[in-house]
Amino acid sequence: MRFNKYYLSAFSSFVIWGFFSLALKPLKDYASLDILFYRIFLATVLLLAINLVFRKKEVQNDFSVFKSLDKPERNRLMFLTVVGGFLLVLNWFLFIYAINHVSLQSASFAYMICPIVTTILAFFILKEKLSRWQWFSVVLCIVSCAILSYGHIKDLIYSLVIAFSFAFYLISQRKNNQFDRFVILTVQMLIASLAILPFFPVYSEAVPTASLFYILLVVIVVVFTIIPLYLNLYALKGMNSSAVGILMYSNPLIHFFLAVYYFNEEVQVNQIVAYALILVSIVVFNERMLFKRHAAL
C-alpha cells in the first residue's frame, strides 16, 4: 500500500482523536450520558445544515443513486447505515465513560485491542489478505495487549466491548461505499439522534448553564467528531479495514503520552514495553510502504 490521500486521511483522523481527552477531561463533572446526548444532537444539526445549505447537489445525487438500486441492494445499504449509527452511539458512550470515570489509559487500552479485532474480522469477513509481516505485526499487538491486561481482567472485558463496537463499525462501513461519505455520516448522526431521543427526557440531568460546557461541546463536535469521522469514512473508500485498523494505534499512543506527561497518570515498566511493541508493530505492518518494497512475503 502506497502513501496516498486515503492513508493520510485515516492517519489524520486517529491523530485528531488522540487529543480528544484534552476537550473531554474538563467536562468530567458532567454525566457521560449528557455529554453523549448534546454531542450527537449538535453534530446532527450542524451536519444537516451543511448538507442542506452547501451540499444540495451531493444529497440529490445520492438520492437518485439510491432510487436506481434494486430493492435487495437498497435494503443492504440501509441496514449498514443504520447499524453504523447504533454502533457509533454505543462506542461513544463507553469511551466517554471510560475517560471520565475509569482512566484515560483504560480508554486507550480499548483502542489497542480494536486494531487487532478489526484486522482479524476483516480477514474472515471481508476476506482481506495479509502478508506474513502483517500477521507478525498482529502477533506483536496481541503480545503488547497481553502485557497491559495482566492483572486487569475486568478492564480487559470492558475494553473488548468498546473495541468490538468500533471494529464492527469499520467493517460495516467498508462495504457501505456507494454514497457520498459526508451524506452517509449525516444520515448516521440522524439515526443516532433518533435512537437516543426517547432516553433524553428520562436520563438527562439539568440543562447545563456554564458557557465552558457549550464551548467545549462545539470543539468536540466539530474537531473531534465531524472532521475525524469524515476522514475515517473517506479513507475506507481506498484502504482495507485492516490497514485503517492498524493506523488506529496512533490514537492510544497519543493517549498514553498525554496520560503520562499532561495528566500525570502513573506509568509502569510493562506499559512502556507494551507501547514500544506497538510502535514496532506499526512499522512492521506498513513495512512494504515505508521501505518501498513490492515483493509480497
Side-chain angles (χ1 to χ4, degrees), residues 71-119:
K71 187 175 181 180
E73 183 65 9
R74 286 202 303 266
N75 290 339
R76 185 185 74 85
L77 294 175
M78 287 175 60
F79 174 77
L80 291 174
T81 303
V82 171
V83 166
F86 279 104
L87 288 172
L88 280 179
V89 172
L90 175 63
N91 181 263
W92 287 359
F93 171 72
L94 293 173
F95 183 74
I96 292 170
Y97 183 86
I99 285 183
N100 282 352
H101 301 287
V102 183
S103 73
L104 181 57
Q105 293 182 45
S106 69
S108 300
F109 186 52
Y111 285 94
M112 290 181 64
I113 301 172
C114 190
I116 301 170
V117 175
T118 303
T119 301

Side-chain angles (χ1 to χ4, degrees), residues 30 34-35 38 200 205-211 213-214:
Y30 295 91
D34 275 355
I35 299 173
Y38 290 104
F200 181 72
E205 298 186 1
V207 177
T209 57
S211 59
F213 177 85
Y214 295 101

Side-chain angles (χ1 to χ4, degrees), residues 203-233:
Y203 294 102
S204 63
E205 298 186 1
V207 177
T209 57
S211 59
L212 178 64
F213 177 85
Y214 295 101
I215 293 172
L216 289 175
L217 189 67
V218 171
V219 173
I220 287 172
V221 168
V222 176
V223 179
F224 296 108
T225 302
I226 295 177
I227 293 175
L229 269 179
Y230 173 73
L231 290 172
N232 203 260
L233 288 173

Side-chain angles (χ1 to χ4, degrees), residues 9-295:
S9 295
F11 183 70
S12 299
S13 69
F14 294 122
V15 169
I16 292 171
W17 271 326
F19 292 96
F20 187 21
S21 58
L22 294 178
L24 198 54
K25 269 289 188 180
L27 299 177
K28 64 181 180 180
D29 293 332
Y30 295 91
S32 298
L33 269 177
D34 275 355
I35 299 173
L36 179 68
F37 286 145
Y38 290 104
R39 180 189 186 187
I40 291 178
F41 291 151
L42 181 57
T44 303
V45 171
L46 287 177
L47 286 168
L48 283 172
I50 292 171
N51 276 291
L52 295 177
V53 176
F54 301 106
R55 307 184 82 251
K56 290 182 180 179
K57 184 178 179 180
E58 286 80 1
V59 174
Q60 291 171 350
N61 287 341
D62 279 358
F63 186 66
S64 298
V65 171
F66 182 76
K67 289 194 300 182
S68 68
L69 299 173
D70 56 34
K71 187 175 181 180
E73 183 65 9
R74 286 202 303 266
N75 290 339
R76 185 185 74 85
L77 294 175
M78 287 175 60
F79 174 77
L80 291 174
T81 303
V82 171
V83 166
F86 279 104
L87 288 172
L88 280 179
V89 172
L90 175 63
N91 181 263
W92 287 359
F93 171 72
L94 293 173
F95 183 74
I96 292 170
Y97 183 86
I99 285 183
N100 282 352
H101 301 287
V102 183
S103 73
L104 181 57
Q105 293 182 45
S106 69
S108 300
F109 186 52
Y111 285 94
M112 290 181 64
I113 301 172
C114 190
I116 301 170
V117 175
T118 303
T119 301
I120 294 175
L121 289 177
F123 177 78
F124 287 105
I125 297 176
L126 301 179
K127 308 302 179 183
E128 293 182 358
K129 298 186 182 299
L130 299 174
S131 68
R132 293 178 183 176
W133 280 110
Q134 289 173 324
W135 275 118
F136 179 61
S137 172
V138 172
V139 172
L140 288 178
C141 296
I142 293 174
V143 171
S144 67
C145 289
I147 293 172
L148 284 177
S149 65
Y150 182 76
H152 300 86
I153 300 301
K154 184 178 179 180
D155 289 346
L156 174 62
I157 295 173
Y158 182 81
S159 298
L160 279 171
V161 178
I162 301 177
F164 268 95
S165 64
F166 196 73
F168 275 117
Y169 175 75
L170 288 178
I171 294 296
S172 64
Q173 299 316 296
R174 181 73 176 91
K175 290 293 186 180
N176 191 11
N177 56 10
Q178 293 195 10
F179 303 112
D180 180 87
R181 290 300 189 176
F182 204 85
V183 174
I184 287 292
L185 179 58
T186 303
V187 174
Q188 288 179 336
M189 286 296 96
L190 184 59
I191 292 169
S193 293
L194 293 174
I196 66 173
L197 187 60
F199 302 98
F200 181 72
V202 179
Y203 294 102
S204 63
E205 298 186 1
V207 177
T209 57
S211 59
L212 178 64
F213 177 85
Y214 295 101
I215 293 172
L216 289 175
L217 189 67
V218 171
V219 173
I220 287 172
V221 168
V222 176
V223 179
F224 296 108
T225 302
I226 295 177
I227 293 175
L229 269 179
Y230 173 73
L231 290 172
N232 203 260
L233 288 173
Y234 180 77
L236 287 169
K237 291 179 65 175
M239 291 178 64
N240 289 340
S241 301
S242 56
V244 174
I246 290 297
L247 286 178
M248 196 186 304
Y249 274 125
S250 58
N251 186 309
L253 283 171
I254 294 172
H255 282 174
F256 176 74
F257 286 112
L258 285 177
V260 174
Y261 296 107
Y262 188 82
F263 295 111
N264 298 316
E265 291 188 8
E266 184 180 354
V267 62
Q268 299 175 347
V269 175
N270 67 318
Q271 293 174 314
I272 296 174
V273 173
Y275 280 94
L277 283 176
I278 287 174
L279 279 173
V280 173
S281 72
I282 293 174
V283 174
V284 171
F285 192 90
N286 295 288
E287 51 85 29
R288 190 180 304 172
M289 182 199 70
L290 293 173
F291 303 110
K292 308 297 182 184
R293 191 181 58 76
H294 300 286

